[in-house]
């Protein structure tokens, strides 16, 4: 959602981690308002019912009016409401809330169960369809092309309108009724005077604010003076959807219902967009109302969505993602994919392998290592050991020394890419071949942090042994990952002939140089073997790898005829920044460290529009004084609690400033909040407007946990 990104940044006087000292600012974790959705679909026995209206009373009861009667929320479903038996026998045409209590309109009367049941007024309009309560207990009833104003038991006044009536409402500040009928807005006073006060084609609904009257049309929103009814400005069209079906002011926001979801306009004009199954049962919004406990009720064609707003800290949000990950994403210690056969139905989900099990697990493991360092949590340490052993076995299970598999599994459970699976020495297990540079980046990133943080020397030594074994494999095999067939894998290549074949504008030349030097420095730092340092300087002096690292990132661009240079590769951003962590920390000398800092800063500058906290915090590790802390916290706050890959569409929105197609695939002037865009890992394009996994894939919490706990580890975020 587009909320203000202003946060509390406090200057440190003393203490704290190195980065907090150097940067001079930290974020002190304070509660913010976190939104999330509770989706209540229509019970199966009511399929096909037409939804009409939703309201909540002062007791927190939620009722929905449908063409099959009143419905209530019960055990996660919308089901028939039978709480008051007499109501179940009545033909309820409309209902509303008056003085916090439900008031019902039937074919015979307006009545309520509140006020000791004394309010029951017969309106003499058997075709009554709509109700609007007045200041006291007077009310307006719409039926066909006529309205009836009712005062007390016997005082009624019929007013012909001449058009079908869309909406009735009462303006308590000016003590008159308003009515939309066809292309005319009518005002009806308490003594029965009616007047046409505004005309416009395609009017659908109206909403009352303190200082304005809003008219929703099929082409946008009109703003009228609430007294003179003069139009204040042109029609507002810079909205997520211009076909407005309902307008409801709630608190300091104004909510709009459309056929493409709901959106709220804040007091500062910023828009929060709620669409897709991340937020709504379906996008065809019928009605919106204030709900219990500050929630917002969004009624759609097939059910009800309750948008909750609750205070939460970043730490509490991390606890949520930790539970999600531990409950549904741990497989043999891997941070694994969770796939559902039915969209959003977690009971149909299963854990599967992916090509990058090692990389995704390394990112989860690193987050848990940072968590342990910041909190000394025994649970976090157990998680670290469990995931480390899974990664360790990736190297142990293959017959080639120092060659990690992509994944492993029990034999007989592979459903895709069976040709890539190889038998292990234990016939009960198989391992996946064709390991890529992505995996190696993850191994070096996680093992280095593991070797620095875990308290037990024996465990640290195991990580160093793996660093040494993988590095030795690459050096022995002339800068290649050599697979079971004796051939280099497609993407495990750092040999100068491969790297330097690319023009400077192709990102792989720079990236692969960054990776291999980061690997060699890490191996030298932890093993002390001079061979690794010597090999690194050989790559510097004979093959120009330092020059490759220093290629300005803004030179990367399209190169005709080169497949790897058709568009910006966002996976390469992930591999580069994870490698920067090791490249900078384990530099052979201070002169190199400063060169690396310049290279990292250049890459960070071009990534700043994405507001990615992981990139920002890795850059902060270089001692940067400016690393976009405010933008990082904004992203963490806006991260959705629901990590299911729902299909999302933003390209049709009218409120976005679109850019011309470009190499970096930046579609809009500003990045959308994470809770409005398609779900992705850090290797995805943050400016992708449309996409999803059909609701059948749930992402793991490491996408949030790694940057959050890195921020805690570096002292950038403080509890």
């Amino acid at each position: 959602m587009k909320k203000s990104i202003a946060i509390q940044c406090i200057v440190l006087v003393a203490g704290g981690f190195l980065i907090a000292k150097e940067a001079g600012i930290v974020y002190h974790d304070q509660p913010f308002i976190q939104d999330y959705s509770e989706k209540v679909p229509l019970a199966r026995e009511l399929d096909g019912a037409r939804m009409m209206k939703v309201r909540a009373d002062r007791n927190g009861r939620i009722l929905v009016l449908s063409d099959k009667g009143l419905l209530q929320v019960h055990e996660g479903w919308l089901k028939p409401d039978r709480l008051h038996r007499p109501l179940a026998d009545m033909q309820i045409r409309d209902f509303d809330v008056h003085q916090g209590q439900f008031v019902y309109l039937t074919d015979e009367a307006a009545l309520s169960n509140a006020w000791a049941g004394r309010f029951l007024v017969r309106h003499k309009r058997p075709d009554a369809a709509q109700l609007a309560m007045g200041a006291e207990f007077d009310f307006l009833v719409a039926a066909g092309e006529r309205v009836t104003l009712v005062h007390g038991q016997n005082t009624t006044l019929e007013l012909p309108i001449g058009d079908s009536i869309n909406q009735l409402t009462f303006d308590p500040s000016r003590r008159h009724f308003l009515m939309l009928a066809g292309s005319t807005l009518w005002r009806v006073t308490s003594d029965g005077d009616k007047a046409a006060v505004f005309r416009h084609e395609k009017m659908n609904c109206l909403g009352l604010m303190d200082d304005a009257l809003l008219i929703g049309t099929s082409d946008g929103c009109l703003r009228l003076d609430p007294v003179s009814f003069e139009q204040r400005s042109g029609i507002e069209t810079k909205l997520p959807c211009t076909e407005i079906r309902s307008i409801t002011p709630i608190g300091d926001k104004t909510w709009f219902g459309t056929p493409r979801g709901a959106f709220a306009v804040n007091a500062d004009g910023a828009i929060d967009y709620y669409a897709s199954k991340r937020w709504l049962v379906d996008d065809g919004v019928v009605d919106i109302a204030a709900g219990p406990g500050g929630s917002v009720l969004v009624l759609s064609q097939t059910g009800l969505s309750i948008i909750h707003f609750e205070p939460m800290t970043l730490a509490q949000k991390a606890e949520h993602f930790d539970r999600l990950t531990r409950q549904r994403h741990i497989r043999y210690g891997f941070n694994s994919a969770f796939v559902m056969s039915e969209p959003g139905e977690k009971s149909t989900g299963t854990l599967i392998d992916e090509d990058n099990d090692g990389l995704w697990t390394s990112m989860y493991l690193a987050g848990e290592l940072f968590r342990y360092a910041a909190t000394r949590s025994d649970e976090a340490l157990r998680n670290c050991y469990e995931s480390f052993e899974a990664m360790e076995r990736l190297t142990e299970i293959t017959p080639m020394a120092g060659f990690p598999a992509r994944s492993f599994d029990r034999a007989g459970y592979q459903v895709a890419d069976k040709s890539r699976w190889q038998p292990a020495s234990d016939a009960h297990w198989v391992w996946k071949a064709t390991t890529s540079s992505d995996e190696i980046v993850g191994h070096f990133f996680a093992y280095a942090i593991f070797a620095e943080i875990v308290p037990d020397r024996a465990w640290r030594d195991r990580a160093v042994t793996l660093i040494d074994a993988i590095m030795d494999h690459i050096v022995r095999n002339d800068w290649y990952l050599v697979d079971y067939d004796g051939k280099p894998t497609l993407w495990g290549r750092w040999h100068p002939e491969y790297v330097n074949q690319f023009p400077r504008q192709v990102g792989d030349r720079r990236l692969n140089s960054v990776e291999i030097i980061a690997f060699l420095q890490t191996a030298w730092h932890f093993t002390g073997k001079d061979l690794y340092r010597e090999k690194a300087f050989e790559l510097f002096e004979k093959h120009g790898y330092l020059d490759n690292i220093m290629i300005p990132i803004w030179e990367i661009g399209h190169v005709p005829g080169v497949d790897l240079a058709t568009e910006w590769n966002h996976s390469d951003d992930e591999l580069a920044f994870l490698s920067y962590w090791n490249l900078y920390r384990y530099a052979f000398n201070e002169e190199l460290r400063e060169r690396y800092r310049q290279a990292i800063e250049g890459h960070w500058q071009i990534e700043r529009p994405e507001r990615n906290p992981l990139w920002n915090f890795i850059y902060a590790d270089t001692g940067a004084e400016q690393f976009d802390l405010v933008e990082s916290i904004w992203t963490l706050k806006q991260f959705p609690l629901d990590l299911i890959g729902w299909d999302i569409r933003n390209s049709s929105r009218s409120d976005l400033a679109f850019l011309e197609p470009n190499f970096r695939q930046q579609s809009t002037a500003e990045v959308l909040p994470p809770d409005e865009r398609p779900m992705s890992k850090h290797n995805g394009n943050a400016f992708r407007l449309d996409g999803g996994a059909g609701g059948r894939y749930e992402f793991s919490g490491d996408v949030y946990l790694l940057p959050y706990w890195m921020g805690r580890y570096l002292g950038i975020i403080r509890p």
Side-chain angles (χ1 to χ4, degrees), residues 138-315:
D138 55 329
F139 57 91
L140 202 62
V141 174
E145 297 181 354
R146 304 176 69 85
V147 293
T148 300
L149 180 63
V150 181
H151 288 280
Q153 293 290 340
N154 300 310
T155 307
T156 61
L157 179 65
E158 291 195 7
L159 306 171
I161 298 300
D163 279 308
S164 59
I165 298 166
N166 296 343
Q167 184 180 347
L168 304 177
T169 192
F170 180 72
D171 183 345
S173 298
R174 285 153 282 272
R175 301 179 73 83
H176 57 228
F177 294 93
L178 295 172
M179 176 171 50
L180 279 185
S183 59
T184 305
L185 172 65
W186 296 84
R187 177 182 59 193
V188 178
T189 63
S190 58
D191 58 7
D193 288 339
K194 68 178 176 66
V197 293
F198 183 77
R199 297 183 186 277
H200 191 278
E201 299 295 329
K202 302 180 180 179
M203 291 193 296
N204 299 328
C205 58
L206 57 85
L208 275 169
M209 303 173 66
D210 291 339
D211 60 349
L213 173 63
L214 302 181
I215 304 290
T217 77
S218 298
D219 299 317
C221 184
L222 299 170
R223 183 179 294 265
L224 309 184
D225 183 281
V227 177
S228 67
F229 301 102
E230 293 181 356
Q231 188 173 332
R232 287 180 172 174
S233 59
I235 189 167
E236 177 60 57
T237 60
K238 290 185 177 180
L239 305 169
C241 177
T242 56
E243 185 176 343
I244 310 301
R245 293 179 174 176
S246 67
I247 303 176
T248 310
I250 302 175
D252 59 354
K253 300 180 181 182
T254 304
W255 286 77
F256 296 79
T258 82
R260 295 206 304 268
F263 62 90
V265 178
N266 295 270
D268 62 0
I271 293 175
D272 302 335
Y273 186 36
Y274 298 88
S276 83
K277 287 186 178 292
R278 175 181 291 161
W279 294 108
L280 306 179
V281 175
D282 71 78
D283 283 351
V285 176
V286 175
D287 190 28
I288 299 177
S295 66
V296 172
L297 309 176
V298 182
L299 183 65
S300 299
Q301 294 171 350
T302 59
L304 174 68
S305 305
I306 307 174
I307 311 297
H308 296 276
F309 300 86
E310 294 186 1
M312 181 178 285
T313 62
L314 295 180

Side-chain angles (χ1 to χ4, degrees), residues 117 127 153 179 263 276 304 345 359 422 476 540:
D127 56 345
Q153 293 290 340
M179 176 171 50
F263 62 90
S276 83
L304 174 68
E345 291 292 334
L359 176 60
Q422 300 299 315
R476 272 190 296 106
F540 284 155

Side-chain angles (χ1 to χ4, degrees), residues 362-377:
S362 76
M363 298 177 79
Y364 169 70
L365 172 56
E368 288 301 283
L369 287 164
F370 291 140
R371 175 188 169 196
Y372 172 73
T375 66
R376 288 297 184 265
S377 162

Side-chain angles (χ1 to χ4, degrees), residues 24 170 229 297 454 546 580 662 719:
F170 180 72
F229 301 102
L297 309 176
V454 298
L546 181 57
Y580 291 156
N662 53 77

Side-chain angles (χ1 to χ4, degrees), residues 315-334:
Q316 290 170 328
K317 198 166 183 176
E319 291 174 3
H320 164 79
F321 290 125
D322 179 69
R323 287 192 300 271
L324 180 153
T325 303
R326 299 305 303 178
Q327 289 173 3
R328 291 195 294 275
H329 290 269
I330 302 301
R331 163 183 152 269
Y332 309 134
F334 289 133

